[in-house]
Amino acid sequence: MAAVDPHEAKRRLHAPSEIACLDVREHGQYGEGHPFLAVPCPYSRLEAMVAALVPRRDVPIILVDEGDGLARRATKRLAALGYAEIDWIDGGAPAWAAAGYTLFKGVNLPSKTLGELVEAQWHSPAMGPDALEAWRSEYRSFQLFDGRPAVEFAKMTIPGSRSMPNGEAGHRWEALAPEGGPVVINCAGRTRSIIGAAGLALMQPGLPVLALENGTQGWALSGRTLAHGVAAAPLPAAQTAASRQRADAFMAAHGLLQIDRAEADRLAREPGRTTYLLDVRDPTEHSAAPHAAAPSAPGGQLVQATDQWIGVRRARVILADDTGLRAALAAFWLRQLGYETCVLAGIDAWPADWRLPVEPLGRRHPAALPEVAASEAVSRAREGDLLLDLRGSFDYRAGHLPGAAWSIRPRLPAVAGRGVLLAGDTSTTALATIDLIEAGAVSVHRIAGDAQGWRNAGLALETSPDAPADADAIDFQFFVHDRHDGNLDAARRYLAWEMGLLAQLDDAERGEYRLDAIDLRAGCEKVGTGFSR
């Protein structure tokens, strides 16, 4: 366990072997600039997140901090869990930039960049808002799908768009195809429009599929009105036999590997390899029949935000579903991102207790804290106990208990010799307790309930619109955060950020991708003019 200079860290990150680059800074700090391959794993939730992100205990790990010593503290926590090979970038993110390497703003960089590469290299067809409106005025037959999850669709969408999360359209095609005409796919910006359109076009060769250029943000920037509060209709049922046939054809066409449970067991036990198993079905299907073996990772979202599930570069990923089609599509995209992928179909027939072998985990965090009522916490704070609110900074601003100070695990105040009362969820407070006890707190209790419960109990909460100050609210990502709330300038800056990603890549970062040789233009010849590529 040692500090490594940025040049050595860069070399390791792009070497052929497995490695995890974990950024232990908080979400707001991460969003303002991080190494391209860094995966967010904030110190405030480190022990709760790392086992899923990095399931193999002997995989090499490189940590990123702000050059403030936080990585050393995180190393101690990870060692307690059994991780054996942990280093950190000497000087953190500032040193990375000083060495001449780019700190990328935003989140989900590898996935976002994939969308831009697909557009540039595969010439994926797209159309803008004016062309879509022209189709409508001409009463042309077409289908408009929103490729995001239902909750995002309900917030805002293009008027007339139907909720159809990416990866589901091909699986449910028989229920959709009778409407006929070309298909247009939108998201909130660019990535899921591009990836969703490209994926459906590959699933349905010859079908004209276009991305709606710049999604809902482009629609708003064109001066048009978005639809808000539209409830997503239930997804139509799939014809499983047709879905299986489509899966077999797609896997054969793109050289994807299908395995059985015995092979999955064998691969998971292979020394020196990290294997993930993820259920890519729609979340409602996973909830109705969950399997301990595979956490839910809806295919469209997995491709959009791979680093929320997969923390180890060059790992092996097994994708599971019922017919093989949704798993095959997700496997195809993850392969473009540089992962080894396999398809495991028939999840609905798995034994309920079947799971991949899992290494034993070290000490994660203490048992649930003893609790006190909010009213008692306020009284004890007046008598000298320290009342800390570990909820999100904006939740604190909106309403907190009288006398509570906002804090976060990386920046806990001095507590030696004092009792401490913590507001926040059970996991966050339990993890902060590790640090508080080491710092000399004589007792730590969690405050029962939440803000609404405190109000219901008759407590008058204090508000503080400017505290903590923006500079101290390191948990909140300010980078174009209000682009979906009417701030058109933020939308312009966000779209410019997405379109500028390719220009920021160096050769090593570009080399992480393994894009197949594909050209998507031919499928749109029949729609004539009106699309931009």
Side-chain angles (χ1 to χ4, degrees):
M1 300 181 185
V4 296
D5 68 66
H7 301 296
E8 172 62 13
K10 178 77 168 174
R11 184 195 68 78
R12 293 188 194 179
L13 289 180
H14 297 294
S17 55
E18 291 185 7
I19 193 166
C21 181
L22 303 181
D23 195 319
V24 296
R25 297 174 299 164
E26 297 304 308
H27 194 57
Q29 297 168 304
Y30 176 88
E32 286 300 316
H34 58 273
F36 187 73
L37 295 180
V39 171
C41 191
Y43 184 70
S44 60
R45 293 176 287 149
L46 179 66
E47 294 93 330
M49 293 179 62
V50 70
L53 286 172
V54 188
R56 183 163 66 89
R57 302 297 178 264
D58 57 350
V59 71
I61 297 174
I62 291 181
L63 302 180
V64 182
D65 66 4
E66 198 68 17
D68 53 2
L70 183 63
R72 288 179 180 241
R73 295 167 61 189
T75 296
K76 181 178 179 181
R77 306 303 175 212
L78 293 174
L81 297 178
Y83 291 94
E85 190 175 339
I86 317 161
D87 297 320
W88 61 90
I89 297 175
D90 193 11
W96 183 267
Y101 302 129
T102 299
L103 291 175
F104 289 80
K105 286 183 175 289
V107 297
N108 310 134
L109 263 298
S111 298
K112 297 283 187 182
T113 303
L114 175 65
E116 299 303 312
L117 284 168
V118 166
E119 180 188 78
Q121 294 186 209
W122 294 359
H123 309 289
S124 55
M127 66 189 311
D130 292 344
L132 184 64
E133 284 288 82
W135 279 16
R136 284 176 167 168
S137 66
E138 296 166 4
Y139 299 100
R140 294 190 60 167
S141 176
F142 68 93
Q143 299 188 72
L144 177 61
F145 295 144
D146 191 316
R148 300 170 299 153
V151 64
E152 294 185 54
F153 171 84
K155 182 172 183 179
M156 76 287 179
T157 192
I158 310 299
S161 187
R162 297 167 59 191
S163 177
M164 184 58 57
N166 281 351
E168 294 294 333
H171 177 57
R172 304 171 193 277
W173 187 246
E174 283 65 34
L176 306 174
E179 296 192 15
V183 174
V184 180
I185 295 181
N186 76 270
C187 68
R190 295 174 54 80
T191 308
R192 285 175 287 186
S193 297
I194 296 167
I195 296 298
L200 183 57
L202 293 171
M203 283 282 179
Q204 297 292 126
L207 175 72
V209 190
L210 303 96
L212 182 62
E213 201 164 55
N214 299 332
T216 61
Q217 293 174 91
W219 188 265
L221 288 168
S222 74
R224 294 176 170 88
T225 301
L226 293 167
H228 298 274
V230 180
L235 293 175
Q239 292 188 12
T240 56
S243 180
R244 289 191 182 97
Q245 290 177 356
R246 206 156 27 248
D248 291 341
F250 184 78
M251 285 188 278
H254 296 283
L256 297 166
L257 176 65
Q258 183 167 351
I259 62 175
D260 58 19
R261 290 199 299 273
E263 179 65 2
D265 273 327
R266 187 191 71 79
L267 293 175
R269 298 176 192 278
E270 183 179 342
R273 289 303 311 271
T274 299
T275 298
Y276 298 86
L277 175 60
L278 302 172
D279 179 355
V280 298
R281 297 175 298 164
D282 183 76
T284 57
E285 295 172 74
H286 178 86
S287 297
H291 285 268
S296 177
Q301 287 305 99
L302 174 61
V303 177
Q304 159 77 5
T306 304
D307 52 8
Q308 291 183 16
W309 284 273
I310 301 171
V312 179
R313 288 298 302 173
R314 291 169 284 282
R316 177 190 292 126
V317 187
I318 302 174
L319 290 313
D321 72 346
D322 50 352
T323 70
L325 187 140
R326 290 172 287 184
L329 184 58
F332 169 82
W333 286 123
L334 291 188
R335 190 177 68 185
Q336 313 304 308
L337 281 163
Y339 297 98
E340 177 188 337
T341 59
C342 308
V343 174
L344 182 57
I347 191 172
D348 47 348
W350 296 2
D353 59 351
W354 182 81
R355 66 180 67 217
L356 293 182
V358 178
E359 296 180 28
L361 186 66
R363 178 176 60 87
R364 295 187 68 176
H365 52 72
L369 295 174
E371 293 188 347
V372 297
S375 56
E376 181 183 347
V378 172
S379 298
R380 289 173 61 167
R382 294 194 189 105
E383 296 170 0
D385 279 1
L386 184 61
L387 201 167
L388 298 179
D389 194 324
L390 303 185
R391 297 174 304 144
S393 55
F394 275 48
D395 292 331
Y396 175 89
R397 287 181 178 184
H400 54 267
L401 293 173
W406 183 76
S407 191
I408 193 166
R409 188 184 184 192
R411 297 183 176 179
L412 294 169
V415 297
R418 302 186 68 179
V420 182
L421 307 162
L422 299 177
D425 64 66
T426 55
S427 178
T428 300
T429 53
L431 294 176
T433 298
I434 300 173
D435 300 66
L436 292 169
I437 295 299
E438 286 187 0
V442 296
S443 65
V444 183
H445 292 75
R446 178 179 175 269
I447 301 168
D450 56 18
Q452 188 57 53
W454 303 334
R455 291 189 179 95
N456 292 343
L459 289 173
L461 303 189
E462 297 176 345
T463 60
S464 54
D466 300 316
D470 288 354
D472 294 323
I474 59 175
D475 65 313
F476 187 82
Q477 184 182 320
F478 287 93
F479 175 63
V480 295
H481 69 281
D482 53 353
R483 63 189 182 276
H484 301 316
D485 298 315
N487 187 335
L488 296 184
D489 181 62
R492 290 187 190 93
R493 288 187 286 119
Y494 179 82
L495 294 171
W497 166 75
E498 283 192 305
M499 290 184 281
L501 286 173
L502 296 186
Q504 297 183 69
L505 297 179
D506 62 28
D507 291 342
E509 289 156 353
R510 174 61 186 84
E512 291 292 329
Y513 295 86
R514 302 289 185 269
L515 263 68
D516 297 343
I518 292 173
D519 193 317
L520 294 171
R521 289 174 291 191
C524 285
E525 291 175 352
K526 65 182 72 175
V527 303
T529 59
F531 61 92
S532 59
R533 284 176 296 280

